[in-house]
Amino acid sequence: MLSANVFQENTNYDAFTSLIHKYEPDIFLTMESDNNWEKALAVLEEKYPYSIKIGLDNTYGMHFYSKLEIANHNIHYFVADDLPSIEAKISTSDGFKFTFFAVHPPPPSPTEESNSKERDGELLSIAKRIKQNSDTCVVVGDFNNVAWAKSSILFRKTSETLDGRMGRGFISSFHTKYWFLRFPIDLMFHTADVFIEDLKTLEPFGSDHFPIYSKFFINKKSSKQAHLTENLEEGEHEDVEEIISEGINEKSDNRN
């Protein structure tokens, strides 16, 4: 799996498609990909016959390509009608099925959102959806949040998933230009029956984010990781519902 916030204004399309040719992931996700990126990615469609395309020019476009069959999918707009997330049911050639979630909520910043309400509401809405799904799940994207923030912890507890970085260091992905100030905000979470063999950043291609690469396998019979999942504690259920409600009610004036 490869995921990348491509940076909408980045036009170094060939550098990104070269990455795909080099690492040959079974599935890959782009974020901030608009219609120009969609046209550029068309050269990969022969190798990736399954796709979900959301070409937006508001920096929240998403494109998902897969060599594996996408049995069905949903595009969700949990807190705002211009903030998509993807839920795709994937079938592997050896008979496994898992659900892939792609996320990219807005960051709290002077140029984006004045607070984190939409971001946190979006993330926790997806976390509830994962919990309801009761299936093998992999969640990937630009969370615009570090894994140790309160909302990320609530996300992990609500969804009962594991942080893919566990035991592998920070794996900082942003900002590519500032080596002295980088944060792990492109994250991967997964259910306990997903085992990660490799998780790392790849070489830059013109974006302000490094791409993330992961190799993982599914083992539904093993319970080795089950004890590592955490559950919501007393009072946290109410916190989650309040955060989701605030996210839905938050009106953004900054996105197109």
Side-chain angles (χ1 to χ4, degrees):
M1 182 277 300
L2 188 153
S3 71
N5 182 323
V6 297
F7 184 49
Q8 185 173 292
E9 297 177 14
N10 175 24
T11 58
N12 201 354
Y13 309 123
D14 290 344
F16 180 77
T17 55
S18 293
L19 272 180
I20 300 300
H21 289 306
K22 178 179 178 180
Y23 291 97
E24 296 190 338
D26 293 308
I27 57 178
F28 74 88
L29 169 71
T30 62
M31 293 155 286
E32 286 202 28
S33 40
D34 57 10
N35 288 319
N36 290 326
W37 269 95
E38 185 172 310
K39 292 175 184 176
L41 294 172
V43 299
L44 300 168
E45 291 183 359
E46 184 175 350
K47 283 191 173 182
Y48 294 87
Y50 303 97
S51 61
I52 301 168
K53 303 173 185 177
I54 313 170
L56 299 175
D57 62 2
N58 64 352
T59 73
Y60 293 97
M62 282 184 173
H63 291 78
F64 178 61
Y65 291 83
S66 178
K67 294 179 181 178
L68 309 174
E69 180 186 357
I70 300 176
N72 55 70
H73 77 275
N74 290 297
I75 298 172
H76 299 291
Y77 297 87
F78 287 112
V79 299
D81 59 8
D82 57 353
L83 286 178
S85 60
I86 293 173
E87 175 184 357
K89 188 78 69 176
I90 309 296
S91 298
T92 70
S93 58
D94 50 357
F96 284 101
K97 289 186 178 180
F98 68 97
T99 303
F100 178 89
F101 286 88
V103 305
H104 183 207
S109 72
T111 57
E112 291 277 347
E113 302 301 325
S114 59
N115 58 60
S116 61
K117 290 181 179 179
E118 279 196 320
R119 180 198 66 192
D120 296 347
E122 173 82 2
L123 290 176
L124 293 177
S125 295
I126 293 168
K128 285 183 64 179
R129 179 74 179 183
I130 294 166
K131 175 61 176 173
Q132 294 164 358
N133 188 68
S134 65
D135 188 13
T136 301
C137 287
V138 173
V139 192
V140 172
D142 174 3
F143 278 62
N144 275 312
N145 206 12
V146 291
W148 56 87
K150 178 183 177 181
S151 56
S152 289
I153 293 171
L154 287 176
F155 173 90
R156 178 166 48 79
K157 288 182 174 182
T158 301
S159 61
E160 296 183 11
T161 56
L162 301 174
D163 180 357
R165 300 176 311 113
M166 190 167 50
R168 294 177 173 83
F170 280 98
I171 312 181
S172 297
S173 59
F174 177 86
H175 191 290
T176 55
K177 292 183 179 179
Y178 309 122
W179 62 266
F180 53 88
L181 192 65
R182 284 181 184 156
F183 298 96
I185 62 173
D186 294 271
L187 304 175
M188 177 181 183
F189 292 87
H190 58 88
T191 48
D193 53 359
V194 172
F195 293 79
I196 297 180
E197 293 185 335
D198 196 10
L199 180 63
K200 61 186 178 183
T201 56
L202 301 179
E203 55 267 36
F205 60 95
S207 173
D208 50 357
H209 290 247
F210 289 99
I212 299 291
Y213 174 86
S214 177
K215 185 177 181 181
F216 61 91
F217 65 90
I218 300 168
N219 186 344
K220 291 179 176 290
K221 295 181 179 180
S222 174
S223 59
K224 288 182 179 180
Q225 299 184 136
H227 69 287
L228 298 174
T229 59
E230 295 183 69
N231 303 106
L232 291 171
E233 300 173 15
E234 184 177 353
E236 289 183 331
H237 289 279
E238 290 78 8
D239 291 343
V240 168
E241 295 303 325
E242 182 178 353
I243 291 170
I244 291 173
S245 179
E246 288 180 349
I248 293 171
N249 293 328
E250 182 69 12
K251 174 66 176 176
S252 173
D253 296 320
N254 294 314
R255 292 191 307 278
N256 296 331

